[in-house]
């Protein structure tokens, strides 16, 4: 485990470039937040998060990965990232930091600053590196959150510590990961681990013994009572290394790192837009006549539905057998044919239509397991109860409540910036409907395209009128200050100073309108490109159909 501390790094002039970049972003981007530790900006630690990062956390801040793996790698730049998982099971960014001074208090400052940028909302769970300093900071700043060690970091350190073993026995690394990732019960893990260390004569290996002693902090089977949003073992290994290792070692300067970071964050956002479009435009193929499957297809995103569908299909091979009945609670034993030794126990409450399973898959990943679904099938529960459909995995994960702007998911009223984030997401969801309908035929495509083009003209007209008004600059104030309300007073009753103040407030509102128009214009342009792609695909299909008719 990495226990080094009090490291000071000098990365000038890159630090000045980063500082200028942050100040420019603060001035140009509503909702942008940055902070630095200490009195000297060029020697302290820096944290930043833009409006998209903060919006991401609003919807998907239940589980967070704090990546400080640069400390145990050969990375030249002390770069830290906060990431999460969106409703498609893909990564989203919650913020970044540069740690030039790695003292005992630096990581505490980092987590406190990040939490302040996220309006104080504490996550349910945290995944961090097995490093003494970061573990101390998490315990101090986020005591309510369940903290676990990143398995990817543990596996990487194991390869380094047991390099000779892995070289002589190439299968050891594979067997270790299988033992950790695929164990269904504590008993199964204990048996597998004991067999593994005995087979390779590692019973007295200090490193493996130290890992075994803290197994409840990194082995999944001990952590399944808390939500981590983990859909598979692959997700864990991939999600923890987005900004580490090769990325950092290939970015020798801060300037290049910032550009690469923006590029990766942008690609993630584009991937989310594409996944949203795929979910809304393509109906999944149902594999059963179950009404529950159809219900799930209408609610979940494409990838999450496929995960649920796999569990539902498995119920056909996992019968539920009653082993006990007490009052309104029935206990079932559920096991796959031929694998009775891996059975799980499900308790079903008849009055509340609720079930809990010993596998804890729903608590861990938010997806209902095959064992509970088998009991639902046995009890003729045709539709999935609402509490088993987490909104964070649905198509509407980022939508508000009706026409009114919902209060911030951080727990307080919306600031202007947070309201803009919600409007951005609601507008995007609404616009995707045009893409879905427009892709069905050339005629509907033309109608939808005309509607979008007309909307684009109206947005441009509003922007043009707004830009003709009086302009003035407005200070961003770290992206947290609420926009002052404009009072309904008669202009004749205002003093000269009050009139000037009101002019400034109106000018600020005009500037904010211009910024919103830019966001809407970017969304419309992206939709136009998607529509053109759909038109091309339809044209190809029509041409192929004509050729087949001629034949």
């Amino acid at each position: 485990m990495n226990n080094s501390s009090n490291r000071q790094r000098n990365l000038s002039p890159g630090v000045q470039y980063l500082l200028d970049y942050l100040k420019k972003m603060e001035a140009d981007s509503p909702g942008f937040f940055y902070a630095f530790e200490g009195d000297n900006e060029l020697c302290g630690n820096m944290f930043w998060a833009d409006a998209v990062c903060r919006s991401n956390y609003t919807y998907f801040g239940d589980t967070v990965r704090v990546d400080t793996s640069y400390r145990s790698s050969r990375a030249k730049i002390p770069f830290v990232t906060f990431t999460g998982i969106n409703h498609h099971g893909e990564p989203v960014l919650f913020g970044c930091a540069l740690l030039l001074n790695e003292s005992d208090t630096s990581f505490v400052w980092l987590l406190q600053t990040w939490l302040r940028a996220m309006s104080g909302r504490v996550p349910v769970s945290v995944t961090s590196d097995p490093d003494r300093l970061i573990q101390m900071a998490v315990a101090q700043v986020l005591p309510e959150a369940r903290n676990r060690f990143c398995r990817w970091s543990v596996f990487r350190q194991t390869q380094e510590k047991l390099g000779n073993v892995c070289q002589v026995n190439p299968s050891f690394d594979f067997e270790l990961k299988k033992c950790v990732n695929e164990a269904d019960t504590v008993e199964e893990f204990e048996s597998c681990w004991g067999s593994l260390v005995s087979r390779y004569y590692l019973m007295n290996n200090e490193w493996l013994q130290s890992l075994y002693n803290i197994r409840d902090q990194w082995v999944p089977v001990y952590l399944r009572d808390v939500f981590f949003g983990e859909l598979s073992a692959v997700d864990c290994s991939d999600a923890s290394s987005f900004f580490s290792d090769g990325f950092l070692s290939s970015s020798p300067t801060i300037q290049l790192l910032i550009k690469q970071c923006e590029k990766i964050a942008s690609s993630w956002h584009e991937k989310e837009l594409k996944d949203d479009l795929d979910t809304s435009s393509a109906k999944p193929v149902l594999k059963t006549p179950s009404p529950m499957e159809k219900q799930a297809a209408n609610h979940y995103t494409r990838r999450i539905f496929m995960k649920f569908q796999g569990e539902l299909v498995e119920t056909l091979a996992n019968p539920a057998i009653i082993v006990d009945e007490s009052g309104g609670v029935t206990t079932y034993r559920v096991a796959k044919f031929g694998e009775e030794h891996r059975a799980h126990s499900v308790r079903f409450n008849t009055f509340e239509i609720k079930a809990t399973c010993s596998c804890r898959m729903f608590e861990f990943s938010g997806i209902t397991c095959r064992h509970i679904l088998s009991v639902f099938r046995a009890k003729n529960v045709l539709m999935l109860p609402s509490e088993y459909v987490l909104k964070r995995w649905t198509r509407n994960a980022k939508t508000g409540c009706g026409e009114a702007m919902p209060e911030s998911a951080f727990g307080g009223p919306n600031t202007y910036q947070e309201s803009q984030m919600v409007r951005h997401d609601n507008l995007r969801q609404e616009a995707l409907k045009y893409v879905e309908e427009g892709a069905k035929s050339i005629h509907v495509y033309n109608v939808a395209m005309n509607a979008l083009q007309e909307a684009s003209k109206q947005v441009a007209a509003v922007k043009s009128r707004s830009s003709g008004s009086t302009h003035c600059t407005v200070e961003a104030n770290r992206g947290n200050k609420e926009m002052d309300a404009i009072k309904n007073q008669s202009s004749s009753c205002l003093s000269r100073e009050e009139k000037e103040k009101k002019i400034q407030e109106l000018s600020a509102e005009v500037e904010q309108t211009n910024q919103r128009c830019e966001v809407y214009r970017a969304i419309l342009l992206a939709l136009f490109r998607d529509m053109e792609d759909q038109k091309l695909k339809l044209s190809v299909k029509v041409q192929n159909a004509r050729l087949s008719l001629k034949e």
Side-chain angles (χ1 to χ4, degrees):
M1 307 292 173
N2 195 338
N3 295 317
S4 59
S5 62
N6 295 310
R7 289 191 290 185
Q8 181 79 37
R9 306 197 190 206
N10 184 4
L11 297 175
S12 298
V15 177
Q16 184 62 55
Y17 172 87
L18 175 58
L19 187 60
D20 293 340
Y21 166 83
L22 297 178
K23 290 180 178 179
K24 182 178 185 302
M25 289 295 293
E26 181 190 41
D28 295 345
S29 304
F32 189 85
F33 176 100
Y34 87 92
F36 60 88
E37 181 185 25
D39 299 327
N40 190 336
E41 295 178 337
L42 296 178
C43 297
N45 299 320
M46 301 182 189
F47 169 83
W48 65 96
D50 61 17
V52 175
C53 291
R54 303 173 76 199
S55 175
N56 287 338
Y57 191 77
T58 302
Y59 304 108
F60 309 116
D62 42 14
T63 185
V64 178
R65 163 74 169 112
V66 184
D67 188 353
T68 57
S69 55
Y70 74 89
R71 285 174 56 78
S72 58
S73 67
R74 296 181 178 84
K76 298 179 181 179
I77 300 177
F79 188 61
V80 180
T81 60
F82 296 81
T83 57
I85 307 167
N86 69 10
H87 51 320
H88 301 287
E90 297 291 338
V92 287
L93 187 62
F94 294 152
C96 304
L98 187 71
L99 291 185
L100 301 178
N101 176 25
E102 300 172 72
S103 65
D104 291 349
T105 60
S106 293
F107 289 99
V108 173
W109 170 85
L110 174 61
L111 291 181
Q112 289 175 337
T113 304
W114 168 78
L115 193 61
R116 180 158 56 93
M118 304 299 128
S119 297
R121 179 188 169 195
V122 177
V124 173
S125 60
V126 176
T127 301
S128 56
D129 295 301
D131 181 289
R132 181 182 65 85
L133 293 184
I134 189 64
Q135 293 303 317
M136 290 173 57
V138 171
Q140 180 176 334
V141 181
L142 304 170
E144 304 97 329
R146 178 69 173 273
N147 182 32
R148 69 170 179 177
F149 295 159
C150 174
R151 294 203 304 281
W152 176 84
S153 296
V154 172
F155 288 145
R156 183 183 63 179
Q157 291 185 29
T158 300
Q159 289 175 339
E160 295 173 355
K161 298 283 186 180
L162 303 181
N164 292 335
V165 175
C166 295
Q167 188 173 6
V168 176
N169 303 284
S171 61
F172 173 78
D173 184 59
F174 171 79
E175 290 188 41
L176 173 64
K177 291 178 179 177
K178 183 177 181 181
C179 172
V180 171
N181 292 329
E182 297 184 13
D184 238 7
T185 64
V186 170
E187 293 75 18
E188 184 177 343
F189 169 75
E190 299 279 355
S191 174
C192 181
W193 182 275
S195 174
L196 182 68
V197 295
S198 297
R199 189 160 58 255
Y200 290 99
Y201 302 100
L202 298 170
M203 294 80 74
N204 298 321
N205 184 274
E206 293 183 1
W207 172 254
L208 287 180
Q209 187 59 46
S210 68
L211 291 183
Y212 180 78
N213 292 339
I214 57 170
R215 58 193 181 281
D216 60 333
Q217 293 180 271
W218 67 281
V219 178
V221 75
Y222 294 94
L223 298 160
R224 296 181 71 87
D225 58 328
V226 178
F227 180 81
F228 281 95
E230 189 175 312
L231 301 177
S232 69
V234 176
D235 289 330
C236 175
S237 61
D238 290 342
S240 61
S241 57
F242 292 122
F243 285 96
S244 58
D245 282 355
F247 170 71
L248 290 179
S249 61
S250 64
S251 302
T253 66
I254 291 179
Q255 294 94 322
L256 182 58
L257 181 141
I258 295 300
K259 292 178 181 179
Q260 291 287 352
C261 182
E262 286 185 328
K263 184 177 180 180
I264 290 177
S266 177
S267 69
W268 286 359
H269 186 61
E270 291 176 3
K271 179 67 165 59
E272 182 179 316
L273 289 173
K274 183 179 182 302
D275 289 340
D276 284 343
L277 180 60
D278 290 343
T279 295
S280 62
S281 60
K283 291 185 177 181
V285 177
L286 303 183
K287 297 182 178 180
T288 74
S290 169
M292 190 179 290
E293 184 182 17
K294 186 176 181 181
Q295 173 198 10
N298 291 332
H299 283 82
Y300 287 132
T301 59
R302 186 179 182 86
R303 183 186 176 190
I304 303 305
F305 169 72
M306 291 179 67
K307 177 71 175 176
F308 174 84
Q309 186 182 55
E311 294 298 313
L312 185 64
V313 171
E314 280 293 325
T315 63
L316 300 175
N318 286 264
I321 301 173
I322 297 177
V323 295
D324 182 62
E325 287 186 276
S326 177
V329 177
T330 306
T331 303
Y332 291 82
R333 184 176 183 274
V334 184
K336 190 172 185 177
F337 288 115
E339 297 183 6
E340 284 73 15
H341 62 288
R342 303 188 73 181
H344 281 281
S345 176
V346 177
R347 289 170 57 84
F348 179 78
N349 189 309
T350 306
F351 302 114
E352 298 179 358
I353 318 296
K354 290 183 179 180
T356 57
C357 180
S358 59
C359 79
R360 295 296 204 180
M361 177 178 171
F362 178 73
E363 290 81 359
F364 187 64
S365 67
I367 307 295
T368 310
C369 67
R370 63 193 65 181
H371 315 111
I372 289 179
L373 294 176
S374 291
V375 171
F376 282 165
R377 185 162 62 88
K379 298 295 292 185
N380 202 31
V381 178
L382 300 180
M383 303 295 284
L384 198 61
S386 58
E387 58 264 36
Y388 293 95
V389 182
L390 297 190
K391 185 179 180 183
R392 64 112 56 235
W393 291 133
T394 67
R395 300 163 178 248
N396 299 321
K398 300 181 71 173
T399 59
C401 305
E403 295 298 324
M405 286 293 109
E407 286 201 347
S408 170
F410 291 126
N414 281 326
T415 62
Y416 160 70
Q417 290 86 356
E418 289 165 356
S419 296
Q420 183 183 25
M421 299 172 201
V422 174
R423 290 194 295 271
H424 174 281
D425 291 321
N426 287 346
L427 180 66
R428 186 187 68 180
Q429 292 287 338
E430 206 53 40
L432 283 173
K433 295 177 183 178
Y434 281 88
V435 177
E436 181 179 357
E437 295 299 323
K440 292 180 179 178
S441 70
I442 293 294
H443 173 68
V444 179
Y445 165 85
N446 290 330
V447 173
M449 181 62 78
N450 290 335
L452 289 172
Q453 289 174 342
E454 182 61 29
S456 180
K457 291 177 183 178
Q458 293 179 16
V459 169
V462 171
K463 182 181 176 183
S464 178
R465 288 197 300 271
S466 299
S467 61
S469 304
T470 305
H471 291 277
C472 74
T473 58
V474 181
E475 187 174 320
N477 191 27
R478 302 272 188 247
N480 280 326
K481 187 180 292 182
E482 292 186 351
M483 186 180 68
D484 293 335
I486 300 174
K487 299 179 180 179
N488 296 321
Q489 299 178 352
S490 172
S491 59
S492 60
C493 299
L494 299 177
S495 65
R496 180 180 181 83
E497 291 182 357
E498 289 173 329
K499 288 180 179 179
E500 290 180 353
K501 182 179 179 181
K502 189 166 185 176
I503 289 174
Q504 290 179 347
E505 291 172 346
L506 290 170
S507 299
E509 185 177 7
V510 168
E511 183 65 26
Q512 291 159 358
T513 301
N514 289 338
Q515 292 168 352
R516 289 198 298 272
C517 288
E518 283 296 323
V519 174
Y520 298 158
R521 188 175 71 85
I523 293 174
L524 288 171
L525 289 175
L527 288 171
F528 288 152
R529 288 195 294 268
D530 288 336
M531 296 288 281
E532 289 295 340
D533 291 341
Q534 292 293 337
K535 181 179 179 180
L536 179 60
K537 291 178 181 178
L538 283 171
S539 298
V540 171
K541 289 182 179 179
V542 170
Q543 186 65 26
N544 291 338
R546 288 174 177 171
L547 291 174
S548 63
L549 288 174
K550 290 180 180 180
E551 293 175 357

